[in-house]
Amino acid sequence: MAKKTVEDLDLKGKKVLVRVDFNVPIKDDVITNDNRIVAAIPTIDYITAEGGKAILFSHLGRVKTEEDKAGKSLKPVAERLSELLGKPVTFVPETRGKELEEAIANMKDGDVLVVENTRFEDIDGKKESKNDPELGKYWASLGDVFVNDAFGTAHRAHASNVGIASNLPTAVGYLMEKEIKFIGGVVENPQRPFVAILGGAKVSDKIGVIENLIDKADKILIGGGMTYTFQAAQGRKVGMSICEKDKLDLARELLEKAGDKLILPVDTVCAPDFDNDAPTTILTGDIPDDLEGLDIGPETIKLFTEELQGAKTVIWNGPMGVFELPTFAKGTIGVCEAIANLKDATTIIGGGDSAAAAIQLGFADEFTHISTGGGASLEYLEGKVLPGVESISDK
Ligand code: ADP
Ligand code: MG
């Protein structure tokens, strides 16, 4: 069911509480990557253009003790946001109390305010992360309506998303709307043929995703480190490749369940160590004890390119090899190219490292949607209900 969006709310003169994802990397008080701040702007702009007062909540890192607060203030984020919006942004260095309440009371229509890191409320009893009902109620009392635009935390029920949402009229912002449309929509109702590509480091991280997609996808192409657990389960030698011995039975079960749907690599780029300058060997069969598989080989790139032809929906999670080292990035690049050449397909890549790989390798514009949610993207691909999405009203 479609969720209410920010455009369904009457915002004029309203105090609009917005859960954004400002969890950006900060080093020595300097923001090293402001992508998440930039990504939040369309929703903030819409609210202020409609005459709403935007009151922004976000977490930043993990805070367990008083000492953890150092370097975790949202003050530099509020300053960067002000530069990006080209107008003043009020920052309140508190998560509750008189200063915050007065600052909100003084806002004019179209103003923007940033509340201090919501996880500062975790020091005394994890009130934010355990969704303390009193905290959610208190934050909700500061506004008239709630907009959730933080997909990255949608898989968690925290006071700043689910807590506020259970006390106010709700809607999703533009970022959340896109994630729900692409990942949620595809998992529920894909256009076929639907091809899933799964890779990354370990089978154990992706069991839920594989199990969900085995039922839904028409084909599953497997690459990355998880290949070797499947191949070991088939009785192959995998040398020093990453292999989860305690998951061999599970891998056998999955292979049996998936039958012809599941397609494994036919060749592997191997090396004696995890080094960009290591000598490489391409092998089609057993991997000897002194080598490890670090990427899919050229025949596999060809095979996967063929298997992708005609696909109407492609979902990809998990790089095909150790893409961080150029020597072992060719498989991931090859699959990016195959996807870039597909006509009329909805193509989605999700997962922290997968999204980073697509962007770093220069394919950011070649996908219909890059989901940057990390853990939230994975749980959504597992077919799980995300509390941050569930707590928003349906249209
Ligand atoms: P995501 O974050 O997108 O869910 P993962 O965390 O599961 O993806 O996997 C990403 C990691 O998997 C990358 O750091 C990459 O180097 C690693 N990886 C891919 N292929 C291999 C391989 N053959 N051997 C070891 N590591 C691999
Ligand atoms: Mg990862």
Side-chain angles (χ1 to χ4, degrees):
M1 177 80 102
K3 295 287 169 186
K4 278 206 170 123
T5 81
V6 63
E7 295 187 13
D8 295 317
L9 297 174
D10 176 18
L11 300 169
K12 176 100 191 87
K14 296 277 164 62
K15 289 174 281 183
V16 187
L17 308 182
V18 194
R19 179 55 161 98
V20 287
D21 179 6
F22 282 164
N23 186 29
V24 294
I26 296 186
K27 217 179 165 218
D28 303 327
D29 289 333
V30 178
I31 296 164
T32 54
N33 181 332
D34 68 358
N35 284 349
R36 286 181 170 163
I37 309 175
V38 173
I41 285 179
T43 298
I44 299 169
D45 269 347
Y46 179 80
I47 292 166
T48 56
E50 290 289 302
K53 301 165 186 171
I55 299 153
L56 312 180
F57 290 82
S58 176
H59 77 283
L60 178 63
R62 284 207 179 125
V63 184
K64 287 186 184 138
T65 63
E66 233 8 89
E67 294 76 61
D68 288 344
K69 283 184 171 182
K72 303 265 175 55
S73 171
L74 281 173
K75 186 161 188 272
V77 173
E79 287 165 1
R80 183 77 192 110
L81 178 65
S82 166
E83 287 166 19
L84 290 165
L85 292 172
K87 65 184 209 178
V89 168
T90 304
F91 172 71
V92 179
E94 301 290 343
T95 48
R96 61 167 83 210
K98 208 163 159 227
E99 187 180 349
L100 176 62
E101 290 156 25
E102 282 178 2
I104 292 173
N106 288 331
M107 288 175 83
K108 297 190 185 59
D109 294 357
D111 280 356
V112 179
L113 180 149
V114 173
V115 180
E116 184 57 285
N117 187 352
T118 54
R119 294 233 175 121
F120 284 14
E121 289 285 349
D122 277 351
I123 292 171
D124 180 17
K126 291 207 167 186
K127 292 198 170 74
E128 155 72 328
S129 296
K130 290 210 166 135
N131 188 15
D132 175 71
E134 291 309 315
L135 181 59
K137 212 187 263 175
Y138 169 70
W139 277 339
S141 76
L142 302 172
D144 302 309
V145 291
F146 175 61
V147 174
N148 190 351
D149 210 19
F151 182 70
T153 48
H155 58 317
R156 304 273 182 254
H158 289 172
S160 65
N161 58 0
V162 173
I164 301 179
S166 35
N167 291 286
L168 284 179
T170 53
V172 294
Y174 293 116
L175 288 175
M176 282 278 267
E177 185 188 15
K178 231 179 135 201
E179 298 282 1
I180 294 169
K181 177 175 163 195
F182 286 113
I183 306 194
V186 162
V187 169
E188 271 165 39
N189 191 16
Q191 287 246 67
R192 297 184 183 279
F194 169 23
V195 182
I197 308 170
L198 298 174
K202 296 193 208 143
V203 175
S204 55
D205 291 340
K206 305 291 166 72
I207 296 168
V209 179
I210 304 173
E211 282 179 339
N212 187 34
L213 295 181
I214 275 183
D215 289 334
K216 302 214 156 84
D218 299 300
K219 270 178 218 170
I220 298 183
L221 313 181
I222 299 276
M226 68 164 69
T227 304
Y228 312 106
T229 304
F230 282 107
Q231 290 183 335
Q234 292 175 322
R236 302 246 307 243
K237 290 206 163 77
V238 296
M240 300 188 298
S241 310
I242 188 169
C243 176
E244 291 170 278
K245 297 222 166 65
D246 59 331
K247 292 287 176 289
L248 296 179
D249 284 339
L250 174 82
R252 266 187 287 268
E253 259 168 53
L254 292 170
L255 284 166
E256 195 169 316
K257 191 167 174 211
D260 296 344
K261 267 191 191 182
L262 195 142
I263 299 164
L264 287 167
V266 291
D267 60 350
T268 304
V269 180
C270 299
D273 39 30
F274 206 90
D275 180 347
N276 197 47
D277 300 321
T280 58
T281 318
I282 293 163
L283 296 175
T284 53
D286 285 343
I287 300 173
D289 290 345
D290 56 349
L291 293 180
E292 65 180 309
L294 295 171
D295 194 11
I296 56 172
E299 288 306 316
T300 304
I301 297 175
K302 251 189 242 168
L303 173 68
F304 285 5
T305 303
E306 281 160 23
E307 296 291 350
L308 281 163
Q309 295 317 302
K312 282 274 182 288
T313 306
V314 179
I315 280 196
W316 183 5
N317 168 259
M320 296 290 97
V322 182
F323 73 95
E324 295 92 337
L325 304 177
T327 305
F328 308 106
K330 297 189 188 91
T332 304
I333 293 173
V335 172
C336 280
E337 282 169 346
I339 289 174
N341 288 328
L342 291 178
K343 305 264 179 290
D344 311 323
T346 300
T347 58
I348 298 160
I349 186 162
D353 292 295
S354 309
I359 295 165
Q360 186 190 314
L361 299 171
F363 291 88
D365 297 332
E366 306 295 345
F367 290 85
T368 314
H369 179 59
I370 298 187
S371 175
T372 50
S377 313
L378 285 186
E379 291 201 17
Y380 219 10
L381 290 175
E382 289 172 14
K384 285 193 185 153
V385 170
L386 307 186
V389 174
E390 191 62 11
S391 59
I392 303 299
S393 305
D394 292 329
K395 273 216 199 247

